[in-house]
Amino acid sequence: MSRRIVVTGAGRGIGLGITKKLIEAGNQVWGTARNPEGAAELRDAGAAGVLQLDIGDDASIAAFGPALAAQTDTIDTLINNAGMTSVDLGVDRRAQGPLQTSKPVVMRQIEVNAVGPMLVTQQVRPLLANGSAPVVLNVSSQLGSMVIGAKMPFDVGYNSSKSVMNMITVMSATADPEVTHVAIHPGWVQSDMGGPGAALSVNDSAAGIVSVLAGLTKADSGRFLTWQGNDHPW
Ligand SMILES: NC(=O)c1ccc[n+]([C@@H]2O[C@H](COP(=O)([O-])OP(=O)(O)OC[C@H]3O[C@@H](n4cnc5c(N)ncnc54)[C@H](OP(=O)(O)O)[C@@H]3O)[C@@H](O)[C@H]2O)c1
């Protein structure tokens, strides 16, 4: 069945991979990019719309809801995929542990990776109310897990931002029972963020995420899953 889907950060990386697979499967997908003019691959993939969105900018988030609503009154699935690391702030990711990092590096990642997606969900929520079996899929990370964070204490801002995203996911699942809210770890992926040495291709991660998405039901709300559909430890 064709679904109406929004993917944030759809111009490259995992977001572009997910978007291509969803379009190939016959879904209608609106993709977002910070610079829509530069998102030629997203447009060429057949996106229903390419919308401007910077999840670290309140004005951009506030403008996004009305811009999307001008194109459709219904969304079935929102995929909060866009995200950043401390590398995007010009610092060495491996040297951002709790004994070295600074307040702006930590706060900006929480703002962009956790609060931004929450505000995007608020903007899209009226359109999800018209959707069929509506879903919010938050692309989190294994690094948001307490279990993994204890083993990989290199970037406290990034890890914490994904822990906050996970908390927002479980709270949303309880606060908003009409919508299925799920967090997913996409694997360690060969994108700009994951680097060429990562374990998984964008294609394999995206295929896994799309397959997990297709099988979600309301009973899954509040879960933290892997791209293979297994429960991830909190
Ligand atoms: N790659 C991995 O190994 C891995 C592992 C675990 C979790 N993740 C998560 O997976 C998601 C996708 O990551 P990726 O690997 O595809 O990373 P990527 O290749 O670096 O792409 C990042 C995407 O996020 C967008 N983005 C970054 N900052 C943004 C902002 N302020 N506002 C709007 N969009 C913004 C980028 O858009 P622009 O093109 O406009 O810059 C781009 O589309 C992220 O949430 C990431 O944390 C990735």
Side-chain angles (χ1 to χ4, degrees):
M1 192 186 71
S2 171
R3 288 174 67 81
R4 288 150 292 194
I5 300 173
V6 172
V7 181
T8 68
R12 60 188 168 101
I14 297 168
L16 180 61
I18 293 171
T19 299
K20 284 181 175 173
K21 295 228 170 282
L22 290 171
I23 293 171
E24 278 162 26
N27 298 286
Q28 220 183 336
V29 183
W30 285 264
T32 79
R34 281 183 285 190
N35 172 22
E37 281 75 45
E41 213 176 332
L42 174 58
R43 221 176 290 279
D44 292 348
V50 179
L51 294 162
Q52 200 283 332
L53 177 64
D54 183 336
I55 59 169
D57 179 337
D58 291 350
S60 172
I61 296 172
F64 169 66
L68 180 63
Q71 298 195 13
T72 178
D73 64 359
T74 305
I75 290 296
D76 302 306
T77 300
L78 165 64
I79 304 180
N80 277 314
N81 163 78
M84 49 129 12
T85 71
S86 47
V87 170
D88 298 292
L89 299 172
V91 295
D92 179 355
R93 213 185 155 179
R94 291 158 302 178
Q96 301 305 318
L99 302 184
Q100 304 95 28
T101 197
S102 65
K103 181 173 173 179
V105 170
V106 174
M107 299 311 285
R108 183 61 179 160
Q109 290 185 87
I110 293 174
E111 185 175 28
V112 171
N113 287 346
V115 180
M118 179 183 73
L119 298 178
V120 170
T121 300
Q122 290 177 12
Q123 289 290 321
V124 179
R125 185 61 183 81
L127 306 183
L128 288 165
N130 301 328
S132 164
V135 171
V136 173
L137 186 66
N138 289 324
V139 180
S140 179
S141 170
Q142 63 175 355
L143 293 170
S145 153
M146 301 294 154
V147 177
I148 305 295
K151 294 178 192 158
M152 300 176 73
F154 311 120
D155 189 350
V156 72
Y158 182 79
N159 292 18
S160 301
S161 73
K162 294 299 189 177
S163 301
V164 174
M165 177 183 245
N166 287 355
M167 177 60 82
I168 290 166
T169 305
V170 295
M171 290 182 69
S172 300
T174 305
D176 187 20
E178 299 306 314
V179 175
T180 300
H181 295 263
V182 169
I184 193 161
H185 167 53
W188 181 30
V189 183
Q190 294 152 8
S191 61
D192 291 338
M193 185 184 290
L200 268 183
S201 67
V202 166
N203 189 58
D204 287 349
S205 172
I209 292 168
V210 168
S211 161
V212 170
L213 183 63
L216 290 179
T217 70
K218 256 192 189 175
D220 296 310
S221 203
R223 289 177 75 187
F224 180 22
L225 299 171
T226 71
W227 80 101
Q228 294 166 308
N230 304 313
D231 280 302
H232 198 290
W234 294 105

